[in-house]
Amino acid sequence: MITSEWLYWLIGAFFIAVAVFIITDRTHAKRVGNAAFWGILGLSFFAGTFVVSGAIPAWALGIAVLVMVALAGLGFTGTTSRTRVASVPGAGVGSATGPAEPTAVTTRPSSSTSVLATTSPDERAGFAKRFGNRLFIPALVIPVVAVLVATLGPLVHVGGKPLLAEGSATLTGLGIGSVLAVVVAVLVLRPPRLDTPVREGARLLQAIGWAALLPQMLSTLGIVFTQAGVGSAVGTIIKAVLPDGSLLAAVVVYCLGMALFTVIMGNAFAAFPIMTAAIGWPVLVQGFDGNPAAIFAIGMLAGFCGTLVTPMAANFNLVPAALLEMRDKYGPIKAQIPTAGILLVVNMGVMYLVAF
């Protein structure tokens, strides 16, 4: 029986490789802090297997998370600019007040000297023109393989036993698809070095920074809030003001609550357990006999409308602005507000019409 542990270990190995690349990059101003952050994360993926088996205590992973938070919160991670002294045009020409002094110019470390650098911007533009739409082939491999494995994997039996562990088909398909996508990318693009995929992955991960972990952290936060009784408390308040017997009002409150809690918490996965415990299950499913699959799926889509308009979803909204070097770091959010509003109303209508 194949479980998902191999994928967790593979992900952990990638993060450790990222840490090794960073610690050997002498152009990185914060290489020690960044290497420690990603190295601890990588080791945590391995340690999780032993926590589940009881070989090591769970609090060990808790300490690892706190150390990572300290590294990120105290500024030991991320990239920094360097300052050099350079002469600007005309700087060497004397004036009435004396010779001009060199001007301090802030620059980033040259990518050509970075361990993670593989190609220059001009080279990447040339490759994009050369390969064209073939660049999308590796990306398309992932969803195709993931769907095939998730659909057909549970049907495969060896010696009368299922090949894949129960509940692992989707994650296994995603892992296999990702590995095959890397292989296809190497065959199609033929990079000069076999470690180019890992180096490019590390470079992108560095650009995103700690925000890459927000989805996992925020989804965990939702579970913590639910265990603390936040969902029940919210449900008590909502039921006190919700009109009796009004399905439309219940649908609007559930979808709107999903969006608002997502705005506050930054992730629909964090908002989902709270709003589902408050109104999704007790009111919409049990009270109005709704279809759970349809209600919860559309409810998540309503939550994603909140994702589009919150800076708390930094990995979706602030990171792209940083990667594209936009002048307005809230530019993506401003552009997405109309779409989010329209989709939220549409989700309410769809839920009301098809989920009951």
Side-chain angles (χ1 to χ4, degrees), residues 242-251 283-284 288 352:
L242 194 66
D244 292 335
S246 176
L247 173 60
L248 179 60
V251 168
V283 177
L284 296 180
F288 290 100
Y352 180 77

Side-chain angles (χ1 to χ4, degrees), residues 31-353:
R31 62 192 182 107
V32 175
N34 278 278
F37 182 89
W38 299 112
I40 292 173
L41 179 62
L43 292 174
S44 297
F45 275 84
F46 287 93
T49 300
F50 300 100
V51 169
V52 172
S53 65
I56 62 175
W59 56 259
L61 283 180
I63 292 177
V65 171
L66 293 177
V67 172
M68 291 169 59
V69 170
L71 289 171
L74 296 176
F76 290 104
T77 62
T79 56
T80 58
S81 60
R82 297 173 181 265
T83 301
R84 64 178 175 84
V85 176
S87 297
V88 297
V93 180
S95 65
T97 57
E101 296 181 356
T103 302
V105 180
T106 301
T107 62
R108 294 181 178 178
S110 173
S111 61
S112 61
T113 60
S114 173
V115 172
L116 301 181
T118 56
T119 55
S120 67
D122 290 339
E123 288 174 327
R124 288 194 288 274
F127 286 140
K129 184 177 181 180
R130 172 185 171 189
F131 290 104
N133 289 333
R134 282 182 290 172
L135 292 173
F136 293 100
I137 295 177
L140 294 174
V141 168
I142 299 176
V144 171
V145 174
V147 170
L148 288 176
V149 174
T151 304
L152 303 178
L155 304 179
V156 179
H157 288 70
V158 177
K161 296 183 179 180
L163 178 64
L164 302 180
E166 183 178 358
S168 68
T170 301
L171 193 57
T172 300
L174 179 62
I176 295 175
S178 299
V179 173
L180 289 179
V182 173
V183 174
V184 171
V186 171
L187 294 177
V188 172
L189 306 179
R190 298 188 180 278
R193 303 174 52 146
L194 289 178
D195 64 351
T196 295
V198 180
R199 291 178 182 271
E200 280 296 309
R203 182 182 64 83
L204 181 60
L205 193 62
Q206 279 290 280
I208 298 175
W210 58 264
L213 303 184
L214 275 178
Q216 296 92 319
M217 297 297 183
L218 292 174
S219 62
T220 304
L221 179 62
I223 298 174
V224 172
F225 275 24
T226 302
Q227 292 294 323
V230 175
S232 300
V234 172
T236 301
I237 297 173
I238 292 176
K239 291 174 184 177
V241 299
L242 194 66
D244 292 335
S246 176
L247 173 60
L248 179 60
V251 168
V252 170
V253 169
Y254 179 60
C255 293
L256 187 61
M258 278 293 301
L260 291 178
F261 267 93
T262 300
V263 169
I264 295 171
M265 305 179 73
N267 193 293
F269 291 101
F272 181 78
I274 297 175
M275 288 305 302
T276 298
I279 188 172
W281 180 261
V283 177
L284 296 180
V285 175
Q286 293 184 323
F288 290 100
D289 196 26
N291 183 325
I295 291 173
F296 299 150
I298 299 172
M300 284 296 294
L301 293 176
F304 295 152
C305 295
T307 302
L308 294 175
V309 298
T310 176
M312 288 295 291
N315 51 325
F316 287 103
N317 298 327
L318 300 186
V319 169
L323 292 177
L324 297 174
E325 298 182 351
M326 297 175 62
R327 293 182 180 180
D328 185 0
K329 66 178 181 179
Y330 298 114
I333 293 177
K334 294 176 181 177
Q336 292 165 175
I337 288 176
T339 301
I342 295 172
L343 284 178
L344 181 58
V345 174
V346 170
N347 284 323
M348 293 176 183
V350 172
M351 181 181 295
Y352 180 77
L353 294 174

